[in-house]
Amino acid sequence: MSIFKFFRYGVAILSSFLGGVFVAFSQSAVPTPQDCLGAIPICKNVYIEPSPYAYKNSGNGNYQNEILRLRNCYTEEFKGVWYTFTALTSGSFSFLLSAEKPDNEDYDWIMFDLTDVPCSVLATNPAPYMVSSNNFGDWANNKYTGADTDSVKSPPSGNCNGPGTFNGPNFNDDIMVTQGHTYVLYVSNWMDSDNGYVIDFSQSTAKIFDDKAPELKAMESLGSCADAKELKFSFSENVRCEDITPSKFVVTGPSGVVPIASATSNACKVGAPHDKVFTLGFASVLPEGNYTLSLAAEISDICGNKTASSSISFVVKYLKLDDVEVNPLKCMGVM
């Protein structure tokens, strides 16, 4: 149970903040699979990017400069595509990328853990979230790349290789992933090739195919200092934006059911296909008391699994001004 404490005159203090980072976007274009927000969900073993390569003529999508390159091994954005998954079990994540043709190919890649942060952090501070990257390039013969400790195609090493032909192999070691964490994988078409590739995730020991129903997970915050009329909450994984409407939720409190005026997320507002942190809007500030947020109808995750019964509880309690120290940052939920 999360307890939200408020002191009078409309100034709100959050006593328990889960999740920690709010999403902010500087662009409003609809995300595509070439944008982190539009990443393709990994729901099967093998994905084929056909020849001619589907994304070559689309540049870098609608969101530019999404990855700040900090050191040599960091893959740069170039006519690539994003993939995403939430690990169902901990273990190794392994993949093999095979170019359609062996010559003049160079598909680089980089993988991030974005469990508690939005895509936007990668443009300014990607280092804490990068888990593995490879932009090795032997342009004469660079048919294969990936993360594969047991690779017989090229001896793997570490999690940071490239650039060029003298800075590590074209395979990284397997990537250890953690149950419940959300990851994104970016594949860059560095040689501007017309030819596609096949990417195979079947050697992973971690379970990455999503067959688990999404659940309500946690409260993020309740409102702001000036106007506590919004409830932020999260799901256990990304769910489809098209499924999120006010009618899918029920909030009950001391006086019964609380009417919900709106239900959305920052990512969904700009046209992203999925997100996991959402905001419910109310017509007025919630009175003091015990509350429950429940699902009223099914919501699908990015692989089509539908929610079962799920609910989370929280408490709204008002405090006198002299009971707490006024801190504008805390009252915005940034702790």
Side-chain angles (χ1 to χ4, degrees):
M1 177 179 290
S2 298
I3 301 177
F4 297 98
K5 296 181 179 178
F6 295 85
F7 57 97
R8 299 191 188 280
Y9 312 112
V11 182
I13 291 290
L14 174 62
S15 68
S16 177
F17 176 66
L18 304 174
V21 180
F22 296 146
V23 181
F25 300 99
S26 60
Q27 296 170 280
S28 59
V30 175
T32 74
Q34 291 187 273
D35 303 306
C36 180
L37 286 174
I40 298 169
I42 298 175
C43 301
K44 58 184 180 180
N45 272 329
V46 177
Y47 285 78
I48 300 173
E49 299 300 345
S51 178
Y53 183 56
Y55 301 105
K56 178 179 178 181
N57 296 322
S58 302
N60 291 329
N62 289 331
Y63 286 70
Q64 305 297 309
N65 304 313
E66 291 188 274
I67 304 172
L68 176 66
R69 188 177 182 186
L70 295 179
R71 56 181 185 263
N72 281 344
C73 76
Y74 270 53
T75 295
E76 293 186 63
E77 292 176 85
F78 192 76
K79 300 187 177 181
V81 62
W82 295 79
Y83 302 88
T84 187
F85 69 95
T86 298
L88 293 183
T89 63
S90 297
S92 65
F93 173 75
S94 177
F95 72 94
L96 170 65
L97 187 151
S98 306
E100 287 288 337
K101 295 183 179 180
D103 298 328
N104 297 317
E105 303 290 328
D106 187 6
Y107 288 102
D108 301 326
W109 58 271
I110 188 167
M111 183 163 154
F112 299 98
D113 183 338
L114 295 187
T115 304
D116 295 318
V117 294
C119 290
S120 56
V121 303
L122 303 181
T124 56
N125 187 29
Y129 315 107
M130 195 278 278
V131 293
S132 195
S133 183
N134 189 301
N135 63 354
F136 171 87
D138 179 1
W139 299 331
N141 186 10
N142 202 35
K143 180 176 175 62
Y144 301 104
T145 187
D148 185 0
T149 300
D150 300 320
S151 173
V152 297
K153 303 181 185 303
S154 174
S157 177
N159 63 358
C160 193
N161 290 299
T165 58
F166 303 105
N167 296 290
N170 53 336
F171 276 89
N172 290 9
D173 287 327
D174 289 351
I175 302 166
M176 301 308 297
V177 297
T178 303
Q179 181 181 8
H181 282 222
T182 298
Y183 300 88
V184 291
L185 172 68
Y186 177 73
V187 176
S188 171
N189 180 14
W190 180 245
M191 287 297 289
D192 198 18
S193 173
D194 272 327
N195 307 310
Y197 61 83
V198 176
I199 189 166
D200 185 343
F201 304 103
S202 63
Q203 296 304 307
S204 302
T205 65
K207 189 175 181 181
I208 61 173
F209 294 175
D210 190 359
D211 60 2
K212 185 177 180 181
E215 299 176 337
L216 292 171
K217 180 183 178 183
M219 293 297 175
E220 302 285 341
S221 68
L222 186 57
S224 65
C225 299
D227 186 7
K229 296 180 182 179
E230 294 182 341
L231 172 67
K232 282 185 181 290
F233 66 96
S234 64
F235 282 91
S236 57
E237 58 179 309
N238 285 329
V239 298
R240 293 178 178 174
C241 289
E242 63 185 10
D243 280 1
I244 301 299
T245 63
S247 64
K248 295 292 183 77
F249 304 94
V250 174
V251 174
T252 55
S255 301
V257 176
V258 180
I260 301 172
S262 62
T264 189
S265 79
N266 287 330
C268 295
K269 284 179 181 178
V270 298
H274 44 72
D275 201 359
K276 65 179 180 180
V277 178
F278 294 87
T279 299
L280 298 181
F282 307 104
S284 58
V285 175
L286 295 179
E288 191 174 66
N290 298 316
Y291 289 83
T292 300
L293 169 64
S294 305
L295 295 176
E298 291 180 337
I299 293 171
S300 297
D301 65 21
I302 57 180
C303 287
N305 304 297
K306 298 183 182 300
T307 52
S309 176
S310 183
S311 64
I312 44 180
S313 299
F314 59 100
V315 174
V316 176
K317 183 174 178 59
Y318 290 90
L319 303 176
K320 294 180 181 179
L321 255 171
D322 56 4
D323 286 342
V324 292
E325 178 184 353
V326 177
N327 185 329
L329 287 180
K330 286 185 179 180
C331 107
M332 291 300 293
V334 182
M335 288 182 160

